[in-house]
Amino acid sequence: MTMLPIITAPDPRLKRTAKPVARVDDGLRKLMDDMLETMYQAPGIGLAAPQVGVLKRIVVLDLSKEDEERRPHVLINPELTWVSGEDVTYEEGCLSLPDHYADVVRPSAIELSYLDRDNETRTLEADGLLATCIQHELDHLDGVLFVDRISALKRNMILRKLLKAKKSDTTPSADPAHVL
Ligand code: GNR
Ligand code: NI
């Protein structure tokens, strides 16, 4: 297992649209295992490939509690096939927006189709935190962050603080000259 570095905002790589996967092969299965390990280590409940610099439509998630057995899930080329008319508000966080949280409104229940790690097409119905998390991850595949779904005032406040944190970080990979 390899830990992958997680990209944090502001970074143009988080704003791009990820490309569909033609076929799941051993290389992508290794990437998904590394993404799961990276997500558990972070720790987070979901991770999308663009967050580790891979512009492919791949998502991993696991909503099991720390004291429970792990329930890893991988979604390849996920597509919403239905969203509820009813909305719900969750306080969201994002590994690419470290230490910032905000209330985000999204449909409360969804249905989606996706490929699993054996290239089988599957469908899933979700509500509660799972529905919110999946929508948050699907947004990453389209270059959308949760701050794009809140007021411009709150968004700019969070992005300004993240940029400031990056500017005071002296590690070369965090140099804004490279990431902006
Ligand atoms: O770990 C995460 N928690 C979370 C909480 C509420 C709504 C969405 C999320 S996803 C986030 C991990 C992450 O950044 N995934 O892209
Ligand atoms: Ni996120």
Side-chain angles (χ1 to χ4, degrees), residues 65-122:
K65 305 256 162 43
E66 232 177 304
D67 58 348
E68 289 174 350
E69 209 171 315
R70 285 178 175 180
R71 287 192 300 272
H73 294 283
V74 301
L75 310 175
I76 299 137
N77 300 342
E79 279 181 37
L80 292 176
T81 52
W82 176 81
V83 300
S84 60
E86 190 192 17
D87 289 342
V88 69
T89 304
Y90 266 99
E91 185 177 55
E92 298 195 15
C94 181
L95 296 171
S96 296
L97 303 162
D99 304 321
H100 292 280
Y101 305 87
D103 282 348
V104 181
V105 182
R106 301 183 188 271
S108 60
I110 57 171
E111 290 177 14
L112 67 154
S113 69
Y114 62 97
L115 290 181
D116 69 11
R117 56 189 290 138
D118 301 313
N119 288 290
E120 301 287 345
T121 301
R122 293 184 177 276

Side-chain angles (χ1 to χ4, degrees), residues 129-145:
L129 182 58
L130 180 60
T132 292
C133 183
I134 290 172
Q135 291 174 82
H136 173 117
E137 303 310 337
L138 263 60
D139 269 354
H140 277 299
L141 303 183
D142 293 321
V144 174
L145 301 173

